[in-house]
Amino acid sequence: MAATKHIFVTGGVVSSLGKGLTSASIALLLLRRGYRVRLQKLDPYLNVDPGTMSPYQHGEVYVTRDGAETDLDLGHYERFTGIPCTRASNYTTGRIYSDVIARERRGDYLGKTVQVIPHITDEIKTAVRALDAKDVDVVITEIGGTVGDIESLPFLEAIRQFRQDAGRGNVLFIHITLVPYIKAARELKTKPSQQSVGILRTIGIIPDMLVCRCECPLEREHRDKLALFCNVERDLVIEERDVAHSIYEVPVALAAQDLDVYVLEKLNLHVNPLDLGDWNAMLQRLIAPQAGTVEIAVVGKYIGLQDAYKSIYEALAHGGIANDTGVSIRRVESEDIERDGAESRLGGAAGVLVPGGFGDRGIEGKIAAVQWAREQGVPFFGICLGMQCAVAEFARHVAGLAGANSREFVPDTPHPVIDLMADQKDVIDKGGTMRLGAYPCKLAEGSRARAAYGAAQVQERHRHRYEFNNRYRQRLEQAGLRVAGVYAERDLVEIVEAADHPWFVGCQFHPEFESTPLRAHPLFRDFIAAARRRAGAAPGAREQEGGTGA
């Protein structure tokens, strides 16, 4: 095969148009036509990575297997395609400038004046080429932000140069734009899209294809106008309406308009047959589950922002698909439990999930949620901080260790059942210094975790500084808390279970990052199965093809 082809996805008019979902959908379609695809996002903000940002600022931080803290869109990439992303899949302005400045300090530029053009743009082009390989046919690169943003300009200039370097037949520009519906006038308006493309053209980029986000169908007149004023072929004005049920419908909607066919033709690639059989079967189970619906209470610290727990919500949906069961999510602020009590906020839920987070705000509400689920026999799933809260709750109310807590929240707690990891004690910098990425976990025989995975050892992704304190391990095990998984090399507790509970599992890692709609993560799958039993729904999950997600 010839050199790797490149697709660049930009966005205009407003943010949150779904560039990540569109990029992931295109990748899925090309993958299902037999091409080897990789995805990447370039983010214009100055942070080196999103690891130090508040979830309210940026949503969840997605963690790759090789330990990079990245943009949440990489989660969409992995969930849609099943292809793991790496550190080379996400670059920011901060990372680009850091690399250039480090090179300048070493004297690598041999006395030259370091400038945005060519040095920053060259570094951006190098980042794009980082995914080029003999086993990669197409690289899809999403440019974060919106056309017209000052901070996006170096990235747009770099991809303009990239096409000039690689040749038109090897590079494709796709621009995602908004066609708003003005209710009072009862009209779709194309002018914002025309202006957005106009900005791109002043930079020297003429889109090959428009993907138009809209609430209502595009009529012929709209397509004609967009094609004329944006200098795009009429057939390459693609409608991307809001889908009815799930984001996983987007690839099917785009395929129905032959978007992937046009992409391949523009890149001079053969149009192989498209196979979406298993994807369509998954959608059928998601949209019309046969075994009823269960309600899961997610007790978090950042509930106000949908994207703060994006991968959690998606993994719960995957667990539902695996069980042919609908999943309804009750979003519960942990501080509301502190104020109103657990029963008032959790009563009637078929399962309780406590996700990760940082800081002491709302911690007692999370611990109260754990206690409620344990005492009521409601299936419980604790992830990262949720597992640590489960350990503290069990220590206090079952093992008799009054005041048990994490040193993160109460440094002078009489029973620090969760403590700072030994290799974190001298760490000063916050960014990129936690325990990050995939580590092996050995599973105990007879545990629920081992039964779920069907394996003796798995690899899971981490993002934390604090850990289970082994000084309390014997005391807690004697009280009935089973250690079901450990990182053997350092004897770190990774999974705990309550032995006398219908389903009570806490894990230090983030299983949500390994879950896909076609292969639900084993722990999410079994958690939803337990919740379904609790709710009295019909038994028996259909088996998924492809095994587990871990």
Side-chain angles (χ1 to χ4, degrees):
M1 164 127 190
T4 302
K5 308 283 187 174
H6 287 265
I7 299 171
F8 293 101
V9 179
T10 58
V13 184
V14 295
S15 59
S16 300
L17 284 179
K19 296 191 301 295
L21 287 172
T22 305
S23 299
S25 297
I26 295 170
L28 171 67
L29 296 176
L30 297 186
L31 192 68
R32 294 310 182 90
R33 288 193 183 270
Y35 288 96
R36 300 165 297 181
V37 184
R38 294 294 182 272
L39 291 120
Q40 177 186 62
K41 185 171 185 186
L42 306 181
D43 275 308
Y45 51 74
L46 281 171
N47 303 66
V48 173
D49 59 48
T52 58
M53 292 189 203
S54 163
Y56 288 118
Q57 286 279 311
H58 194 262
E60 76 172 4
V61 175
Y62 194 79
V63 179
T64 59
R65 290 179 183 175
D66 63 352
E69 294 175 291
T70 71
D71 183 82
L72 61 83
D73 276 323
L74 272 68
H76 294 313
Y77 301 166
E78 291 197 359
R79 285 188 287 271
F80 276 64
T81 67
I83 300 171
C85 292
T86 68
R87 194 173 299 276
S89 300
N90 194 199
Y91 286 83
T92 67
T93 295
R95 184 174 170 190
I96 295 292
Y97 271 77
S98 293
D99 291 345
V100 169
I101 290 169
R103 195 167 289 127
E104 183 274 331
R105 292 290 81 188
R106 291 196 303 266
D108 292 358
Y109 294 112
L110 301 176
K112 294 179 181 177
T113 300
V114 180
Q115 298 175 292
V116 172
I117 303 174
H119 301 101
I120 295 299
T121 52
D122 282 352
E123 192 69 22
I124 293 169
K125 290 189 287 184
T126 298
V128 172
R129 294 191 187 98
L131 292 182
D132 284 10
K134 291 182 179 179
D135 63 345
V136 178
D137 300 322
V138 182
V139 173
I140 301 173
T141 301
E142 174 193 349
I143 309 298
T146 306
V147 168
D149 295 342
I150 291 174
E151 58 264 33
S152 296
L153 289 175
F155 291 93
L156 297 174
E157 169 61 20
I159 66 173
R160 183 198 68 78
Q161 294 177 18
F162 196 98
R163 176 180 242 180
Q164 190 173 25
D165 297 342
R168 181 171 293 272
N170 295 316
V171 175
L172 184 72
F173 292 133
I174 298 177
H175 189 55
I176 301 176
T177 184
L178 179 68
V179 180
Y181 177 72
I182 308 301
K183 189 174 181 180
R186 297 183 181 179
E187 287 184 316
L188 286 170
K189 293 295 184 180
T190 64
K191 188 64 71 177
S193 297
Q194 295 176 42
Q195 293 175 340
S196 177
V197 172
I199 294 171
L200 269 181
R201 291 166 69 176
T202 63
I203 297 168
I205 295 173
I206 300 177
D208 299 290
M209 184 179 296
L210 289 184
V211 176
C212 302
R213 287 298 311 276
C214 49
E215 297 178 32
C216 306
L218 293 178
E219 303 294 342
R220 182 181 182 87
E221 63 177 289
H222 303 124
R223 294 178 187 270
D224 288 344
K225 189 177 291 186
L226 286 166
L228 176 64
F229 288 102
C230 297
N231 198 29
V232 175
E233 297 173 36
R234 186 183 178 282
D235 288 344
L236 302 186
V237 177
I238 305 295
E239 174 186 289
E240 192 175 47
R241 258 189 295 166
D242 295 345
V243 291
H245 302 97
S246 167
I247 58 175
Y248 301 121
E249 295 176 84
V250 174
V252 178
L254 295 179
Q257 300 175 74
D258 289 331
L259 176 143
D260 52 326
V261 174
Y262 295 130
V263 165
L264 292 172
E265 289 176 346
K266 281 289 184 180
L267 292 175
N268 299 318
L269 295 173
H270 186 265
V271 181
N272 302 319
L274 176 65
D275 182 6
L276 288 177
D278 59 344
W279 194 265
N280 287 323
M282 175 274 294
L283 280 175
Q284 180 62 31
R285 294 153 66 95
L286 176 63
I287 294 169
Q290 299 300 302
T293 298
V294 296
E295 186 179 33
I296 304 298
V298 176
V299 182
K301 293 159 57 73
Y302 319 110
I303 290 297
L305 182 67
Q306 166 78 11
D307 284 346
Y309 299 114
K310 185 64 177 175
S311 292
I312 292 285
Y313 298 149
E314 293 302 314
L316 285 169
H318 304 161
I321 294 167
N323 286 278
D324 221 347
T325 301
V327 177
S328 171
I329 297 173
R330 184 191 303 181
R331 294 168 174 84
V332 181
E333 284 282 0
S334 56
E335 288 176 292
D336 290 344
I337 293 179
E338 292 177 350
R339 184 186 65 244
D340 303 329
E343 177 62 33
S344 68
R345 294 290 176 170
L346 304 178
V352 173
L353 187 150
V354 178
F358 297 90
D360 61 359
R361 181 179 61 82
I363 290 301
E364 289 304 317
K366 285 178 176 262
I367 291 174
V370 177
Q371 182 180 7
W372 182 88
R374 182 181 56 76
E375 293 179 346
Q376 298 296 320
V378 174
F380 167 79
F381 195 5
I383 294 175
C384 196
L385 176 59
M387 177 263 208
Q388 296 176 1
C389 289
V391 171
E393 190 281 325
F394 199 93
R396 291 181 191 179
H397 303 122
V398 181
L401 300 173
N405 215 318
S406 167
R407 283 198 198 274
E408 180 181 3
F409 314 125
V410 182
D412 60 351
T413 174
H415 296 293
V417 291
I418 303 296
D419 205 352
L420 188 66
M421 301 180 73
D423 58 4
Q424 290 285 319
K425 292 182 178 177
D426 295 325
V427 172
I428 298 174
D429 291 344
K430 298 295 185 186
T433 57
M434 286 185 275
R435 185 186 182 210
L436 294 165
Y439 289 86
C441 175
K442 184 179 179 181
L443 304 174
E445 289 189 21
S447 64
R448 290 191 182 88
R450 182 154 177 171
Y453 283 103
Q457 183 166 296
V458 294
Q459 291 267 345
E460 292 284 2
R461 308 184 205 189
H462 296 71
R463 185 175 183 253
H464 64 105
R465 298 185 193 280
Y466 288 78
E467 64 172 323
F468 184 102
N469 189 343
N470 276 330
R471 285 170 43 206
Y472 290 89
R473 182 166 170 177
Q474 184 176 359
R475 177 79 175 268
L476 292 172
E477 285 186 311
Q478 288 173 346
L481 190 69
R482 173 195 291 150
V483 172
V486 295
Y487 173 41
E489 184 177 318
R490 293 177 53 191
D491 196 30
L492 299 181
V493 173
E494 298 274 26
I495 307 174
V496 296
E497 301 175 356
D500 61 349
H501 190 280
W503 206 92
F504 185 104
V505 176
C507 58
Q508 184 58 72
F509 48 81
H510 288 269
E512 67 271 24
F513 295 153
E514 291 284 351
S515 190
T516 76
L518 295 177
R519 295 188 300 172
H521 189 282
L523 294 180
F524 278 92
R525 180 199 64 214
D526 283 13
F527 173 55
I528 296 301
R532 193 178 61 178
R533 290 192 295 272
R534 170 77 182 184
R542 295 188 212 164
E543 216 171 287
Q544 283 183 298
E545 293 182 7
T548 66

